[in-house]
Amino acid sequence: MSLLEPDRIQRRYAELVELGHSRLPALAPRHTDHNAHDPGITLMELLAAVAEAQLYSAGRIRRDERDAYAALFGVRPHGARPARGLLWPDRSRPDAPANTFRASTVIDADADVHLRDNPTLQFRPRCPTLWAPGALRRLALRSAAGAWKEFTALNERGVGFLPFGEAAGTHDVLVMTFETLAQSGLFPTDGALPANTCWAIGVRVDGSPASDDNDDDSDSPAKASPLSAVLVTDRGRRSLPIVEDTTAGMLRTGHLLLDLAGVDGSPARFSVEWRAPQGLARAARVLRLEPNVLPIVQRIGIRDELPRATGQPGFTHQLEVPGLCFEPGLEPVEITSRDGADTRAWRRCKDLAKQGPADPAFELDAANGMVRFGNGINGMRPAAGLQLSAAYAVSDGDDGNVARNRWWTVTGIEGLFGSNLDAVAGGADPSDRAAMRHTARQRFEDDRALVSADDIRQAAERLPLLGVARSWMAAIGIAQTQTGTLRLVAMRTRDADANAEPADPPETPRWLGAIRRALAPRLPLGTRLVVIAPRYRGFAVQAKVAVIPGADPTAVCGDVRAALVERLRLVPQRVSDAVRATGVPVTLRDVTAWMLRVEGVADVASLALIVDGRPVDTVAVAADGLPRLDLDATRIEPHRPTSGVRP
């Protein structure tokens, strides 16, 4: 039995009980009976006994027990993890393959992909990938109301746009029209596609890391995409299965893999209509959408490594290529044996000592790449001369990560294929126990149950992709009190390029529901969470300001508008930004003081706060509400006094 740290904690039962007694006056001042007969004291003594037993066992826990506890947090041993990335075709050079090739081809899954200046670091396509040279002829949004909005020029320049509009509703359609340069159309000349061949569409979004930083490091199928795709040709319409979506509905940088196996003919010009059948929790903001990208992974498959058994008990085989690559729950090595026409699969086990003489099993030392077979008593002994076959994958782990904007070559594509606009990342060395303990502790801290109001608020603001900029727990009145119900007020991030509040509050019911669904599994049993939007009170400002002599009236009025935006900011754009407190009204006195602090303002000649078309002295807001400045309706004008006639 290996000892972890048996003497790390010296506290015993008596010390724990004494510690509990010392905390009672501060934690429970109304609890005054500290005698042994009191039920509260009995409960405290029971907890002290349990704590002492747990402390004792924690210092003497076995390795397999530690692995089991780590698995409760989803932390399990893994091999080297491959780096992943996305190669974008190069269109800047006239001699680039994307501009010169006139034939579609399939990039095989075993094709060699490497850096121009480092051919030893080998990558592979994520799957057999159709590469059809051509260009986007149109990218446009057809809104639910039937209006069109063009994105083609914005996409070419890399300027951010909303592919599904601000609403990202169920009836908004993104139309992508593509025209190939190949005479044979979309498919190769023979028209045949190997099994599992996909067409890759790259998505690069504004302000989001590549999708490889999520937990999608395994080869298991990706989560179902919130998008759907329909191919439109002169022959009609056909639904295209989305095999993989690492963009979460174009919300982050990644790729979409489309299965074209059922497409009739080989269209040279066609459209793909993208929809979100259930809508998106928030509007996507895309910098670039490009067909014919190439998803790559730094993993090399080794097949048919053919050792011959020696017939010795406990025969071992050292895997020839180091860097064993596997994910938790997946088999690192597959071993088969062939004896004439008979093929037998051998299974991996944790302990050969528990196997019988006829069990075809083997042990694997993943760290050293060593395979050990049975001795004929504990596990079957491979016969002398038996032909074995090992299949596994290897990766360079952390060494496979590559900085962005590097040039790449691909087997079968002459010349430089393109570059990785974002870093090729995600590569990691095999896990060790120190790293597993660190990960488990971090997950315990980050993924624990949400008990306090601060827990819920912080968890909401850390949710990925949803963009929760600000949140707080709403005060519940007597008439609204419900046992076990918590009300979280959440606010969405605003466009960093816009100074004014959006025309409509961005906190949609779909977005609020997504927050609730993400947080609900972490709440204590019996607790109900309701996520609501703030109660906004819209208003406008109409004012005339006197400008000091020599100042530019237009510039001063612009500075006044900027000061109002800054004072009434609802969500932070930067960490240092101050935001408007909830429940605080806006008064004429406040606005006057803000304006007088602007450089160049001599006096406020007139001022009115407009709510629902009527002037008011105070913009009142609810306890959990916020004032919302309508900048379009706000008028700040320079005061130009007219010269009067002396009576």
Side-chain angles (χ1 to χ4, degrees), residues 18-54:
E18 184 179 353
L19 179 62
H21 275 289
S22 66
R23 297 286 184 91
L24 278 178
L27 298 177
R30 290 188 295 178
H31 187 182
T32 58
D33 189 356
H34 296 178
N35 296 307
H37 65 266
D38 185 81
I41 299 300
T42 303
L43 179 61
M44 184 180 67
E45 293 174 346
L46 175 62
L47 293 175
V50 173
E52 182 190 37
Q54 290 178 336

Side-chain angles (χ1 to χ4, degrees), residues 477-625:
I478 297 177
Q480 298 173 312
T481 301
Q482 296 179 2
T483 303
T485 299
L486 302 175
R487 297 168 70 241
L488 175 70
V489 184
M491 298 183 66
R492 263 187 59 181
T493 55
R494 271 48 170 177
D495 189 346
D497 298 331
N499 290 324
E501 279 285 300
D504 297 318
E507 293 84 14
T508 62
R510 189 182 301 115
W511 181 76
L512 297 171
I515 297 175
R516 183 191 61 78
R517 290 191 297 273
L519 297 180
R522 299 176 58 187
L523 294 174
L525 187 64
T527 301
R528 180 172 179 264
L529 179 65
V530 177
V531 184
I532 60 176
R535 287 181 283 180
Y536 293 112
R537 186 64 168 170
F539 75 102
V541 177
Q542 294 183 359
K544 291 185 177 182
V545 296
V547 181
I548 62 175
D552 183 358
T554 302
V556 171
C557 290
D559 292 342
V560 171
R561 290 171 64 90
L564 292 177
V565 170
E566 187 66 27
R567 292 283 185 172
L568 295 167
R569 188 181 299 278
L570 302 184
V571 298
Q573 299 284 14
R574 299 174 299 273
V575 176
S576 59
D577 285 345
V579 293
R580 185 72 180 178
T582 61
V584 179
V586 179
T587 65
L588 288 171
R589 181 179 178 181
D590 293 337
V591 179
T592 301
W594 299 340
M595 292 182 175
L596 290 176
R597 291 178 65 88
V598 176
E599 185 177 358
V601 175
D603 193 14
V604 178
S606 65
L607 174 63
L609 304 178
I610 308 300
V611 176
D612 297 331
R614 294 178 298 178
V616 297
D617 295 334
T618 301
V619 180
V621 295
D624 294 316

Side-chain angles (χ1 to χ4, degrees), residues 40 55 148 209 249 271 277 320 473 484 511 521 571 628:
L55 292 175
W148 286 86
S271 296
E320 297 176 0
M473 300 304 297
W511 181 76
V571 298
R628 194 165 184 267

Side-chain angles (χ1 to χ4, degrees), residues 102-104 132-133 180-189 266-270:
R102 293 295 185 270
S104 299
T180 68
L181 299 176
Q183 296 180 352
S184 61
L186 178 63
F187 300 130
T189 305
S266 181
R269 184 184 177 97
F270 57 89

Side-chain angles (χ1 to χ4, degrees), residues 335-348:
I335 293 182
T336 59
S337 62
R338 293 193 299 270
D339 187 4
D342 297 333
T343 301
R344 169 178 286 164
W346 295 65
R347 58 180 177 83
R348 181 174 64 95

Side-chain angles (χ1 to χ4, degrees), residues 427-485:
D429 294 332
S431 60
D432 55 28
R433 298 200 171 273
M436 291 174 62
R437 285 197 299 269
H438 174 75
T439 303
R441 290 166 181 164
Q442 184 176 13
R443 291 190 179 182
F444 175 77
E445 179 66 24
D446 296 341
D447 300 337
R448 66 184 187 277
L450 307 178
V451 179
S452 67
D454 284 341
D455 290 342
I456 298 175
R457 179 184 58 78
Q458 293 173 8
E461 294 176 4
R462 292 174 181 171
L463 289 176
L465 303 180
L466 291 179
V468 181
R470 184 182 177 190
S471 63
W472 64 92
M473 300 304 297
I476 301 178
I478 297 177
Q480 298 173 312
T481 301
Q482 296 179 2
T483 303
T485 299

